[in-house]
Amino acid sequence: MGLTVGLTSAGVITVLAGGVGAARMLAGLRLVVEPPAITAIVNVGDDTTLHGLHISPDLDTCTYTLAGAINPETGWGLVGETWNAMAALERYGGLTWFRLGDKDLATHLYRTHRLGEGAPLSQITAEITAAWDLGVRLIPATDDRLSTTVTLTDGSTISFQDYFVRLQHGVPITGVAFDGAADARPAPGVLEALAEAETIVIAPSNPIVSIGPLLAVPGLREAIAARRARTVAVSPIIGGAALKGPADRMLRELGHDVSVVGVAKLYAPLAAALVIDEVDAGLADEVAAAGIRPVVAPTVMSTPERAAALGRTVLECLS
Ligand code: GDP
Ligand code: CA
């Protein structure tokens, strides 16, 4: 079966997006809709400043994945990357636990320069994505400061990247907060994309630290809840575990069920349907009891074909 067989005219699709899982979901959706009218509202809670540079990891993961330029070995950064700048930085004892490849640095240089000129992140994101010709519109959830922090068992609070990269998410947490969220405004186009969407998709991203920051921007949760009948979520938890990353441990440590049922409870106020993996078919009744319609399908997007099939499932399950 050719990948472009069975294209649907699905209208406008708006996707709530974190990093890797969302990027694959977007790539799958792009294969099955014609014309592609896909907007992703992307998490910026992971954004950080290093070496004076503004880094937007989830925006970049979505950009590079959709450009076909993601590094397949790491799942982040650019394919064919070199590390000369990092090696040179080591000479000075500079900060190197967050790896920035030579080509990737250009993205951060450009973004930081434009921010310095006063351009909003949404405008800069449009410029960067246009240069890669993605066929998908990426909008940061907000142009304002929104910074995810994590509280550890000793009561200390650290930045998300300190937890995720420096500590390799290997320590238990007691809380997550989104600094600045209360004063953040949705970026231009965000509320319109939610209001206009034929289908809203909550991508299989970390519910706590990828989707959580989006929902913390005043107005977003309400805008999605208002479109609940047209919203479908895909579970990032499969067989009681995350495919990668700390989503499963974070859910447990913050008191949620580590299963599709836990995901169902989080998303039931927002989405009419939850796509759960076939391995979780036995939990479909519990998902339904949590107030969200279960849709059982293969959800591991290990190939573009599988991502496309999941994209089709997502678009068809509300029709
Ligand atoms: P980030 O890349 O670290 O920003 O992470 P995301 O916010 O994308 O979340 C990672 C989550 O995505 C993990 O819980 C994974 O289980 C989930 N995920 C990644 N790839 C897939 C996939 O192909 N299918 C599903 N269902 N979940 C996925
Ligand atoms: Ca992320």
Side-chain angles (χ1 to χ4, degrees):
M1 186 185 73
L3 273 180
T4 48
V5 171
L7 295 173
T8 44
S9 66
V12 175
I13 302 166
T14 299
V15 181
L16 306 188
V20 174
R24 292 187 181 145
M25 184 82 259
L26 289 165
L29 286 166
R30 189 179 57 178
L31 283 170
V32 296
V33 291
E34 185 61 46
I38 305 170
T39 295
I41 300 171
V42 183
N43 175 38
V44 291
D46 297 10
D47 285 22
T48 187
T49 302
L50 295 170
H51 322 290
L53 300 176
H54 185 104
I55 323 268
S56 297
D58 286 352
L59 282 166
D60 291 346
T61 294
C62 289
T63 301
Y64 297 164
T65 300
L66 290 165
I70 196 83
N71 186 330
E73 281 147 39
T74 53
W76 50 266
L78 284 161
V79 67
E81 191 58 280
T82 54
W83 304 95
N84 294 304
M86 282 290 114
L89 201 55
E90 265 166 33
R91 177 188 298 270
Y92 305 122
L95 181 161
T96 53
W97 54 262
F98 196 102
R99 311 287 293 161
L100 297 168
D102 298 334
K103 288 194 286 185
D104 186 31
L105 272 168
T107 306
H108 316 311
L109 289 170
Y110 181 79
R111 177 185 291 122
T112 307
H113 173 70
R114 294 285 290 126
L115 284 169
E117 289 181 335
L121 184 62
S122 54
Q123 167 67 30
I124 301 164
T125 301
E127 291 165 7
I128 290 173
T129 54
W132 288 100
D133 193 18
L134 302 187
V136 172
R137 181 167 65 138
L138 304 184
I139 315 180
T142 180
D143 282 332
D144 300 323
R145 193 184 72 84
L146 192 173
S147 192
T148 301
T149 63
V150 170
T151 304
L152 307 183
T153 48
D154 66 2
S156 62
T157 292
I158 59 174
S159 78
F160 178 75
Q161 296 302 347
D162 261 349
Y163 163 76
F164 192 72
V165 180
R166 188 174 62 81
L167 299 178
Q168 307 265 300
H169 49 79
V171 292
I173 64 163
T174 59
V176 166
F178 309 116
D179 279 4
D183 299 319
R185 293 152 302 174
V190 166
L191 294 179
E192 293 80 354
L194 292 170
E196 288 166 5
E198 175 81 17
T199 307
I200 298 173
V201 182
I202 304 178
S205 294
N206 186 316
I208 307 288
V209 290
S210 292
I211 304 302
L214 305 182
L215 300 177
V217 175
L220 253 75
R221 180 182 281 278
E222 296 75 7
I224 298 157
R227 305 293 321 284
R228 184 182 182 279
R230 298 304 315 165
T231 302
V232 49
V234 179
S235 177
I237 299 295
I238 299 176
L243 285 184
K244 92 171 213 323
D248 45 8
R249 276 174 285 123
M250 290 186 125
L251 285 169
R252 181 178 304 112
E253 288 157 10
L254 298 180
H256 303 282
D257 298 344
V258 189
S259 70
V260 291
V261 180
V263 177
K265 288 176 183 165
L266 286 171
Y267 290 153
L270 301 170
L274 176 67
V275 182
I276 63 174
D277 197 81
E278 291 171 323
V279 302
D280 291 311
L283 291 171
D285 288 349
E286 280 185 63
V287 168
I292 189 165
R293 181 163 59 84
V295 176
V296 179
T299 67
V300 179
M301 295 177 281
S302 47
T303 64
E305 289 81 1
R306 287 177 187 184
L310 181 58
R312 206 172 276 125
T313 298
V314 158
L315 297 178
E316 287 169 357
C317 76
L318 293 181
S319 57

